[in-house]
Amino acid sequence: MLQDLKLKEFLEKTASKDPVPGGGSVAALSASISASLIAMVANLTIGKTGYEKSEDEMKKILNIASNVSKKSVNDIDRDSNAFNEVMTAFKLPKSNDDEKSKRKDAIQSGFKNAALVPLEVAKDAIELMDYASIMVEKGNKNAVTDAAVAAMMARTAVLSALYNVKINLSSIKDEKFVTETSKEVDKLRIKAVELENKILSKVQL
């Protein structure tokens, strides 16, 4: 599994001729890094003098961020598996009409899954941006820049994942699915950019 590779091994595999891991897996990794940074800021805030009023909220966010980080790590492999599912479908036999029909359905199903996985990553990452915003405002001020990086990594995860959604939508014949998913993509893209600008405006560089 990709998630079990050492960092150097993952980077080498990403740089290789192998199409996986690709942008979708890297988007999931970015979300996991964002969640981990949010958890770190929460840990640096809990129990510290002057942050007593935020204690309960920090503990709640710490639990959520820890879970999202684990989920996002799993999404690294889910995205690559979705790509492989499409490739497997293309290799199905097509010597008669029945086989052609089954192959076509498998390909379309694969492309839909390959769009839905990164869409889920984008949705998770958007939520992380909200938590990063809270960390910037209420978290340990000595770690405010870490919260800002968490926001940027989450924004990168959102937009990177959405690129992968869009490229898969271009191969899907289900017009209703494409239209509805495209609307979600547009909303998430706009929200991610707006949130990042809002968050970073509160952090001096």
Side-chain angles (χ1 to χ4, degrees):
M1 296 179 70
L2 293 173
Q3 61 183 277
D4 294 327
L5 296 176
K6 293 181 179 180
L7 178 58
K8 287 184 178 180
E9 293 173 337
F10 182 87
L11 294 176
E12 288 173 357
K13 191 167 181 61
T14 302
S16 72
K17 294 180 180 179
D18 193 332
V20 293
S25 292
V26 171
L29 176 61
S30 298
S32 182
I33 292 173
S34 171
S36 296
L37 280 171
I38 290 169
M40 183 191 79
V41 178
N43 274 316
L44 290 172
T45 306
I46 296 169
K48 293 295 190 299
T49 302
Y51 298 96
E52 292 82 2
K53 292 182 179 180
S54 302
E55 184 93 3
D56 290 341
E57 187 173 22
M58 290 293 133
K59 289 180 178 178
K60 179 180 178 181
I61 294 176
L62 171 60
N63 182 60
I64 294 172
S66 297
N67 288 332
V68 173
S69 180
K70 293 175 183 176
K71 180 178 182 297
S72 297
V73 167
N74 288 329
D75 287 337
I76 293 173
D77 282 293
R78 285 183 66 217
D79 186 87
S80 292
N81 291 338
F83 174 84
N84 288 330
E85 181 184 336
V86 174
M87 294 299 99
T88 298
F90 272 110
K91 295 177 183 177
L92 290 174
K94 50 179 178 178
S95 59
N96 56 55
D97 289 343
D98 184 54
E99 288 182 347
K100 288 178 181 178
S101 178
K102 289 181 179 179
R103 177 176 177 273
K104 179 181 178 181
D105 289 344
I107 291 172
Q108 286 300 299
S109 176
F111 273 124
K112 282 186 177 181
N113 189 44
L116 290 174
V117 171
L119 182 63
E120 189 177 323
V121 170
K123 289 178 179 178
D124 288 340
I126 275 287
E127 290 186 15
L128 289 175
M129 295 190 76
D130 289 327
Y131 297 131
S133 180
I134 294 172
M135 290 300 160
V136 165
E137 294 179 5
K138 301 180 182 180
N140 191 318
K141 294 305 177 186
N142 292 321
V144 67
T145 53
D146 297 296
V149 173
M152 289 187 284
M153 291 301 295
R155 174 263 191 191
T156 295
V158 174
L159 299 187
S160 301
L162 293 181
Y163 271 121
N164 282 271
V165 176
K166 291 288 284 186
I167 196 169
N168 285 296
L169 288 181
S170 65
S171 298
I172 296 173
K173 308 302 182 184
D174 185 337
E175 293 184 5
K176 181 180 179 182
F177 180 90
V178 172
T179 299
E180 292 178 351
T181 306
S182 294
K183 289 179 180 178
E184 287 191 86
V185 167
D186 289 338
K187 289 179 181 178
L188 289 168
R189 174 181 55 79
I190 293 170
K191 185 176 181 180
V193 174
E194 290 178 346
L195 276 174
E196 184 187 40
N197 290 335
K198 180 181 178 181
I199 294 169
L200 296 186
S201 69
K202 300 174 183 178
V203 184
Q204 295 297 321
L205 181 62

